[in-house]
Amino acid sequence: MTRYDIIIVGTGIGGGTLAWGLRNSGAKILMIERGDFLPQEPENWNPEAVFGEHRYKSNDPWETSNGHLFTPGVHYCVGGNSKVYGAALPRFRREDFRELEHEQGISPAWPMSYNDLEPYYGRAERLYGVHGCTGEDPTEPSRSSEYPFSEVSHEPQIERLSASLQKQGLHPNHLPLGVDLGRKCLRCHTCDGFPCKVHAKSDAEVCAVRPALESSDVSLWTNSIARRIIIQNDAVHAIEIDRGGELQTVQSDTLVLSCGAVNSAALLLRTEDLPDSSGLIGRNYMVHNNSALIAFRPWERNTTTFQKTISVNDWYLGDRTWPWPMGNLQMIGKVQASMLKSARPNIPLPILHFLADRSIEWWVMSEDLPDPQNHISISSHGRIQIHWKPNNLATHRQLLNRARKMLRSAGYPLSFTQQMGIETNSHQCGTLKMGNEPDISVLDPFCKMHGLKNLYVVDASFFPSSGAMNPALTIASQALRVADHLQAT
């Protein structure tokens, strides 16, 4: 039977960063990835291949609570979903770690403060090469280190838009982004939602997994699926892995799950003899309330190529007329007609070309509050089943109204929005919440599972709340914190 000191299941932002943080610890580490390296190929930048044919998405369907099958927005490859993310890497706000009252409920406090994570935020920003600018955003928390790279500059039309927003009394800021502008990045229009053909995006494969593999102590098995965890005497004894069709049992002193908030919880739900004093394994599933907002200026073509450079957080914590937190606005990569076609197949392509040539696109993101009724389970067919009903929607509508008004005042008289559904789960979190008390949480503040000596979960499963920021940098920062903890114990 093969044995390692540490086994990490999953190579995304959580697992990849953890492996990087432990690479020089002297421990023998095995990373397990159910997919393979995503190929560098022309289709990486082909909208029809990526959005029309879903070339890189998982073809393993999940179920809704009523048994309807859908294709989740997950990618099984080295680097995980970070291979196609938009590389937005903001920090959570200081207030996100505290209890916050919302119009529809309470966002609970985390068992650690912003100050506990702040040094690791700086380390994660350096690891992922984050570009940003301090002093623009009044909601940004204090920092002990500057951004490692200066902000990604706006193109001319976006610069004019930023100036217009400032005239409205708003504080548009440069969105913190992880791209390799100095050497590789071409500032192309196929970044957000696409794999990077030249490895210029700061994803987990490029920034963490490949550097970790330079250590002789770190190994990687691809095309290997974790099937079952074997528990003995209040500890993980071994894990069964389907490696290319052959079932292998592997032992380790420490097992870390980093499969993503859904798959990590699903693997635990399939595990026998697992302690669960809280009854919360798989519960409190969150994915943010997300809407795409497309605004048009019919008389002017948008010639911008790299559009995703602005964020607006003026309503993140509320305003005088709506005193509850509303969330974040950020531009997304420039949408192309063929991408709109996959969402609106009945609209003729020439019309979509006209619209896409004259539009700007935004992502509107509000907090999805934790609710034990929103959870995952394993269906009678053995599939992952998602039970999710959006909440806090009145707040989301408030933010959408302010975003539309902001853009009308900036000279974009027409807009439409589309709220994302259950299949848009790139910000999934919360299914194995952390806390100090075993009866109301699954993991402790260092992501170790209550009741087991050697099982950790390092992905967005541990989030007690979702905040309203992209989660990747917070996952990476906690992974570095857990790496330090494991080396100290």
Side-chain angles (χ1 to χ4, degrees):
M1 186 180 295
T2 308
R3 185 178 189 89
Y4 289 84
D5 296 317
I6 301 172
I7 294 177
I8 302 171
V9 185
T11 60
I13 289 287
T17 306
L18 180 66
W20 184 89
L22 294 170
R23 72 196 187 287
N24 296 324
S25 66
K28 294 295 182 183
I29 300 168
L30 172 64
M31 289 187 285
I32 298 169
E33 171 55 53
R34 70 184 294 171
D36 208 334
F37 286 93
L38 192 148
Q40 292 176 266
E41 57 185 4
E43 288 84 358
N44 292 164
W45 288 348
N46 186 313
E48 289 79 11
V50 174
F51 289 90
E53 301 168 10
H54 305 296
R55 183 177 180 86
Y56 304 109
K57 265 189 179 183
S58 165
N59 57 8
D60 183 16
W62 293 356
E63 295 183 20
T64 64
S65 55
N66 60 9
H68 174 71
L69 298 183
F70 69 96
T71 302
V74 295
H75 299 78
Y76 299 136
C77 55
V78 178
N81 282 337
S82 71
K83 292 301 296 181
V84 298
Y85 77 154
L89 293 166
R91 300 182 178 198
F92 272 27
R93 276 27 191 170
R94 185 179 295 276
E95 293 81 0
D96 288 321
F97 294 88
R98 303 169 180 167
E99 181 177 285
L100 277 176
E101 182 180 357
H102 287 251
E103 187 271 341
Q104 196 177 333
I106 297 295
S107 178
W110 290 39
M112 59 183 181
S113 69
Y114 171 78
N115 288 344
D116 292 327
L117 204 57
E118 196 282 331
Y120 296 98
Y121 269 133
R123 287 174 55 184
E125 286 169 344
R126 292 189 290 275
L127 175 60
Y128 284 91
V130 179
H131 294 255
C133 181
T134 58
E136 296 179 320
D137 180 0
T139 72
E140 185 179 26
S142 59
R143 314 169 55 93
S144 60
S145 58
E146 294 297 317
Y147 283 104
F149 298 100
S150 60
E151 68 273 14
V152 179
S153 62
H154 304 317
E155 294 185 30
Q157 283 170 287
I158 306 304
E159 188 66 60
R160 292 197 297 272
L161 172 62
S162 179
S164 176
L165 300 183
Q166 290 176 16
K167 289 179 181 178
Q168 296 179 41
L170 300 174
H171 300 83
N173 58 91
H174 289 82
L175 181 64
L177 292 171
V179 289
D180 189 353
L181 279 180
R183 297 179 299 167
K184 299 177 182 177
C185 181
L186 307 176
R187 292 190 65 122
C188 68
H189 61 275
T190 51
C191 183
D192 196 356
F194 294 81
C196 183
K197 188 170 68 172
V198 296
H199 280 181
K201 190 182 331 194
S202 297
D203 62 53
E205 177 204 345
V206 172
C207 293
V209 175
R210 288 183 180 271
L213 289 173
E214 293 175 4
S215 168
S216 59
D217 290 331
V218 181
S219 303
L220 170 65
W221 289 0
T222 58
N223 300 304
S224 300
I225 302 176
R227 293 297 189 192
R228 186 168 72 100
I229 301 170
I230 302 169
I231 306 293
Q232 290 183 4
N233 301 322
D234 298 325
V236 172
H237 173 66
I239 183 169
E240 288 185 353
I241 301 167
D242 181 346
R243 190 180 186 193
E246 177 185 352
L247 197 63
Q248 297 188 25
T249 302
V250 188
Q251 291 182 323
S252 71
D253 295 330
T254 300
L255 176 65
V256 182
L257 304 185
S258 299
C259 317
V262 167
N263 279 294
S264 286
L267 183 56
L268 292 178
L269 289 172
R270 292 186 171 109
T271 297
E272 299 176 358
D273 303 317
L274 193 69
D276 184 17
S277 59
S278 67
L280 291 176
I281 292 178
R283 296 197 173 269
N284 296 302
Y285 172 79
M286 297 170 281
V287 286
H288 285 148
N289 293 313
N290 295 310
S291 290
L293 188 159
I294 302 181
F296 302 95
R297 180 179 280 169
W299 58 86
E300 181 184 53
R301 293 174 65 90
N302 182 3
T303 59
T304 304
T305 301
F306 194 94
Q307 179 175 266
K308 189 185 175 98
T309 55
I310 286 183
S311 177
V312 176
N313 293 310
D314 287 77
W315 301 292
Y316 194 82
L317 298 170
D319 62 16
R320 285 178 295 179
T321 60
W322 190 266
W324 299 283
M326 280 183 268
N328 164 263
L329 307 175
Q330 61 184 250
M331 300 198 78
I332 58 177
K334 185 69 195 82
V335 169
Q336 302 168 62
S338 54
M339 297 161 66
L340 293 174
K341 189 67 174 176
S342 64
R344 292 289 185 269
N346 296 324
I347 300 179
L349 195 59
I351 294 177
L352 295 177
H353 273 295
F354 179 86
L355 294 175
D357 286 348
R358 292 160 177 80
S359 67
I360 58 171
E361 295 81 24
W362 291 75
W363 196 251
V364 182
M365 181 163 46
S366 301
E367 185 158 353
D368 181 19
L369 298 175
D371 179 352
Q373 298 306 310
N374 286 340
H375 68 283
I376 76 160
S377 63
I378 307 301
S379 75
S380 59
H381 302 288
R383 298 190 188 97
I384 289 172
Q385 193 166 32
I386 306 295
H387 308 261
W388 176 65
K389 183 179 180 180
N391 59 45
N392 209 27
L393 291 177
T395 285
H396 191 60
R397 288 191 290 270
Q398 290 286 332
L399 184 58
L400 280 168
N401 290 339
R402 283 160 177 75
R404 282 190 284 259
K405 181 180 178 181
M406 172 188 83
L407 292 170
R408 282 197 300 271
S409 298
Y412 291 86
L414 305 174
S415 65
F416 75 83
T417 62
Q418 178 176 333
Q419 186 172 341
M420 300 296 106
I422 196 169
E423 69 284 347
T424 304
N425 49 12
S426 52
H427 292 181
Q428 56 183 285
C429 63
T431 56
L432 303 167
K433 66 173 288 188
M434 64 158 57
N436 291 310
E437 298 83 16
D439 58 332
I440 57 172
S441 60
V442 181
L443 308 173
D444 75 9
F446 287 99
C447 292
K448 188 183 78 68
M449 187 170 180
H450 295 303
L452 285 177
K453 302 173 184 176
N454 59 348
L455 177 60
Y456 291 74
V457 184
V458 183
D459 54 32
S461 301
F462 70 78
F463 283 32
S465 64
S466 65
M469 287 287 173
N470 310 64
L473 190 73
T474 299
I475 300 169
S477 303
Q478 176 70 348
L480 294 174
R481 183 170 179 259
V482 172
D484 279 1
H485 172 73
L486 287 173
Q487 291 180 78
T489 56

